[in-house]
Amino acid sequence: SQTIHQWPATLVQPVGSPLSLECTVEGTSNPNLYWYRQAAGRGLQLLFYSVGIGQISSEVPQNLSASRPQDRQFILSSKKLLLSDSGFYLCAWTTSAGGYEQYFGPGTRLTVT
Amino acid sequence: GESVGLHLPTLSVQEGDNSIINCAYSNSASDYFIWYKQESGKGPQFIIDIRSNMDKRQGQRVTVLLNKTVKHLSLQIAATQPGDSAVYFCAENAGGTSYGKLTFGQGTILTVHP
């Protein structure tokens, strides 16, 4: 069966510090991967998606970036965090074979102080 | 797609009642729709999905209805239980070369009172 992991679960970082959030998927090959951000009391905003190693598409301009160094690893980064980067970050995957159902990880709660 | 405002719609029901959660979608080209349940502090969980060539699909205690004419989606939960309390999101996929991307609605908070 497939599982998706995210870490850390929670993170408190000062403004201006770097960020690295990691997501890994097990039990599937060549998944499509997604990063979402969810502000408190709001819906999910798609930040990045990837259809393969090294292939990243950005949905919204911001000071975040994403990378996919391995088939089942997706990383969200920032060089300098802003207060507005606080939120709940969710990674998701779906099969590249045409399925649309996305499976979500447990999320990372980021607080920028 | 993306939520607007800071206050999600809310629905309060008594245990045992049926719940109906509504969602309006925006893209007439969307060919796939999905409902997710999100409990506090957790990632969204799949509930049920439906393709645009259907107008109704049933699962265990849940039914999704799709009205393409008015671009409306609803989730019906039968015999609602306290464990159903969560935020419910609808999402749509435009198909084609959208790489499986989903556009999420703003969500509805369901509270079930014992």
Side-chain angles (χ1 to χ4, degrees), chain A residues 88 109, chain B residues 37-43 85-87:
Chain A
F88 192 45
R109 175 75 60 191
Chain B
K37 171 187 179 183
Q38 187 178 24
E39 297 175 322
S40 181
K42 297 183 178 180
S85 294
V87 180

Side-chain angles (χ1 to χ4, degrees), chain A residues 4 8 10-11 22-23 27-28 32 34-35 40 42 45 57 59 64 71 74 79 81-82 86 90 94 98 111 113:
Chain A
I4 179 169
T10 59
L11 190 60
E22 190 164 343
C23 170
T28 188
N32 291 340
Y34 310 85
W35 275 114
R42 303 189 76 160
Q45 179 188 31
S57 296
E59 288 292 293
L64 298 172
D71 181 45
F74 205 20
K79 293 182 179 178
L81 283 168
L82 306 173
S86 293
L90 290 155
T94 191
T111 304
T113 60

Side-chain angles (χ1 to χ4, degrees), chain A residues 13-19 63 78-82 85 110 112:
Chain A
Q13 292 283 96
V15 168
S17 64
L19 173 74
N63 70 319
S78 175
K79 293 182 179 178
K80 290 185 177 181
L81 283 168
L82 306 173
D85 292 324
L110 172 66
V112 182

Side-chain angles (χ1 to χ4, degrees), chain B residues 16-113:
Chain B
D17 288 351
N18 296 332
S19 302
I20 300 176
I21 300 171
N22 297 302
C23 177
Y25 64 93
S26 57
N27 189 345
S28 57
S30 292
D31 62 358
Y32 175 83
F33 305 87
I34 188 167
W35 281 98
Y36 283 95
K37 171 187 179 183
Q38 187 178 24
E39 297 175 322
S40 181
K42 297 183 178 180
Q45 294 176 286
F46 168 84
I47 302 173
I48 192 168
D49 58 2
I50 189 169
R51 293 198 176 271
S52 59
N53 60 353
M54 303 172 67
D55 54 21
K56 180 179 180 179
R57 190 168 186 218
Q58 289 183 291
Q60 186 177 9
R61 282 202 306 121
V62 294
T63 301
V64 55
L65 299 178
L66 175 62
N67 186 330
K68 295 181 287 294
T69 302
V70 295
K71 290 188 285 188
H72 183 268
L73 194 67
S74 68
L75 177 70
Q76 301 177 359
I77 305 174
T80 316
Q81 302 167 2
D84 295 326
S85 294
V87 180
Y88 289 80
F89 293 97
C90 66
E92 61 184 295
N93 175 276
T97 58
S98 63
Y99 300 111
K101 293 188 293 180
L102 296 175
T103 301
F104 283 79
Q106 64 174 344
T108 296
I109 301 172
L110 174 64
T111 303
V112 182
H113 301 283

